[in-house]
Amino acid sequence: MLLNRNQDICAAELDGEICLFNPQSAAYLHLNSTGSSIWNLLEAPTALDDLINKLQVLYAVDLDTCRSETESFVAAALEKGMLLQSQPV
């Protein structure tokens, strides 16, 4: 499964952090610096494991913590429609 940004989402950077707005649901999400990094890393469709590996390098965090925190963020972003899942081509 690949993670993709929802192309309908409006994104803006404010003070180094990204704010997202879903016009279909009127949901708003303010990303902290880590969430903003995840959003930026998902500029192209990316597998969850690849995303976690990139985040481990960026933040020098252990695998279990990185996986847990990333999966939690991704689940919330999927629920709010900010991210989508797709099958690899």
Side-chain angles (χ1 to χ4, degrees):
M1 235 10 153
L2 296 176
L3 297 170
N4 306 283
R5 292 180 184 177
N6 182 341
Q7 297 303 312
D8 294 335
I9 299 303
C10 301
E13 186 174 332
L14 303 170
D15 295 327
E17 296 180 338
I18 296 175
C19 296
L20 306 175
F21 177 72
N22 185 338
Q24 293 178 345
S25 65
Y28 169 83
L29 187 62
H30 178 248
L31 305 179
N32 63 17
S33 61
T34 306
S36 296
S37 292
I38 291 171
W39 182 259
N40 288 331
L41 288 169
L42 292 173
E43 187 171 342
T46 305
L48 180 62
D49 286 341
D50 292 337
L51 177 62
I52 290 168
N53 290 335
K54 290 174 184 177
L55 290 167
Q56 271 193 282
V57 171
L58 280 175
Y59 292 100
V61 63
D62 68 273
L63 178 59
D64 291 337
T65 300
C66 190
R67 179 171 297 283
S68 173
E69 295 293 320
T70 303
E71 287 176 349
S72 177
F73 173 87
V74 166
L78 287 167
E79 183 179 318
K80 292 180 186 258
M82 305 300 180
L83 296 179
L84 304 171
Q85 291 181 316
S86 65
Q87 295 291 333
V89 177

